[in-house]
Amino acid sequence: MLLQLPEVIPLSVGGMCFTTRLSTLQRYEDTMLAAMFSGRHHIPTDAEGRYFIDRDGAYFGDILNFLRCGELPPQNRVKMVYKEAQYYSIGPLLDLLDKMQPLTGEKVRQSFLDLMPYYKDHLERIIEIGKLRAIQRKARFAKLKVCVFKEEMPITPYECPQFNTLRFERSESESKHFEHHCDVDVSFGPWEAVADVYDLLHCIVSDLSDRGISVEHQCIGVCDKHLVNHYYCKRPIYEFKITWW
């Protein structure tokens, strides 16, 4: 037997109180809220008799506003509302938020970072080295050397890159002359995209910042490794300064 639910539903979402119509919660039938308030399931109540949802209520008002009238959240709340919409399985809201900033921009950024499958591992390596170096020195900050290079370098005057690509043909013996690892803690590159070194640096700094890590960087020169004849590496080297407190 289906439970008889009132037309007006009092809610407690993580302790925050809301009141809405039953029809609002049932607006999209394939959602978690529609299933919860379909009458087929027991819903716990709090001491005041409000139906309880064990979820942070900070963004539930945005969920209700969409269910009521299709209203979308302001840009600074889009990311968190998206997470709540995922939890409640509200497909129409997810589709609309996907087309809004900053989620659209994040998809574009991620398409660039996908060119570097090692990106997340290298980010973790920066954090780990910075932490160990600061602990060992009993210091407030730590410095690392990071190489960020877009293209395989150098290209000699006798080599011509293929059209619309950073790659060019070298024999196996010639390639060995140019293969080396710069004397740095972490190295990013190469990649094929319009996005340049400064774009990747922005990604690294912003992703570290999202994890609460304060980092400054500056270019301190280039790798001066001698490769062959009068050709040198010339990849840019950046000093990262991580401040821990």
Side-chain angles (χ1 to χ4, degrees), residues 39 53 89 100 126 150 153 166 176-178 182 206 227:
I53 300 176
S89 301
M100 293 180 63
I126 288 174
K150 179 177 179 178
M153 293 292 284
L166 299 175
K176 288 182 179 179
H177 287 299
F178 292 89
C182 302
S206 62
L227 300 178

Side-chain angles (χ1 to χ4, degrees), residues 62-102:
D62 297 282
I63 298 294
L64 281 183
N65 286 339
F66 175 77
L67 295 176
R68 286 166 176 156
C69 57
E71 181 181 333
L72 296 174
Q75 183 175 326
N76 65 333
R77 296 174 67 86
V78 165
K79 279 189 175 181
M80 295 307 298
V81 174
Y82 188 86
K83 291 182 179 179
E84 295 305 298
Q86 286 181 311
Y87 177 78
Y88 295 113
S89 301
I90 306 174
L93 178 54
L94 291 171
D95 291 341
L96 291 171
L97 293 178
D98 261 333
K99 300 172 184 176
M100 293 180 63
Q101 284 284 60

Side-chain angles (χ1 to χ4, degrees), residues 15-221:
M16 295 184 65
C17 297
F18 300 88
T19 304
T20 190
R21 293 174 66 92
L22 177 62
S23 58
T24 298
L25 299 173
Q26 296 174 338
R27 183 168 302 278
Y28 298 102
E29 61 182 24
D30 293 332
T31 68
M32 175 181 164
L33 290 172
M36 285 180 65
F37 292 91
S38 64
R40 299 191 303 270
H41 306 284
H42 169 73
I43 309 169
T45 56
D46 65 8
E48 297 178 357
R50 291 180 173 272
Y51 295 106
F52 182 74
I53 300 176
D54 192 12
R55 189 75 178 173
D56 187 349
Y59 299 93
F60 191 74
D62 297 282
I63 298 294
L64 281 183
N65 286 339
F66 175 77
L67 295 176
R68 286 166 176 156
C69 57
E71 181 181 333
L72 296 174
Q75 183 175 326
N76 65 333
R77 296 174 67 86
V78 165
K79 279 189 175 181
M80 295 307 298
V81 174
Y82 188 86
K83 291 182 179 179
E84 295 305 298
Q86 286 181 311
Y87 177 78
Y88 295 113
S89 301
I90 306 174
L93 178 54
L94 291 171
D95 291 341
L96 291 171
L97 293 178
D98 261 333
K99 300 172 184 176
M100 293 180 63
Q101 284 284 60
L103 294 180
T104 299
E106 180 58 27
K107 286 189 174 182
V108 175
R109 189 183 84 109
Q110 194 57 53
S111 69
F112 163 52
L113 294 179
D114 286 344
L115 297 174
M116 291 161 279
Y118 54 80
Y119 177 77
K120 290 184 179 180
D121 290 337
H122 281 19
L123 213 62
E124 293 296 332
R125 181 169 172 78
I126 288 174
I127 296 171
E128 189 63 24
I129 292 174
K131 181 182 71 174
L132 291 176
R133 201 160 285 175
I135 290 174
Q136 290 170 354
R137 299 177 181 178
K138 308 298 187 291
R140 182 175 171 229
F141 62 85
K143 293 181 178 180
L144 298 82
K145 287 184 179 180
V146 179
C147 177
V148 182
F149 65 102
K150 179 177 179 178
E151 302 180 16
E152 289 283 12
M153 293 292 284
I155 301 174
T156 72
Y158 307 103
E159 296 172 306
C160 182
Q162 296 175 0
F163 179 74
N164 199 30
T165 180
L166 299 175
R167 297 178 182 176
F168 48 90
E169 296 297 327
R170 283 190 180 127
S171 69
E172 185 176 347
S173 60
E174 289 174 328
S175 296
K176 288 182 179 179
H177 287 299
F178 292 89
E179 288 179 359
H180 82 287
H181 297 285
C182 302
D183 185 19
V184 295
D185 297 298
V186 183
S187 184
F188 294 84
W191 65 86
E192 294 189 56
V194 173
D196 60 20
V197 167
Y198 298 103
D199 296 317
L200 183 57
L201 286 170
H202 181 273
C203 290
I204 296 170
V205 172
S206 62
D207 285 340
L208 291 173
S209 178
D210 286 345
R211 297 181 60 170
I213 297 174
S214 175
V215 58
E216 302 173 12
H217 66 84
Q218 62 176 342
C219 185
I220 57 174

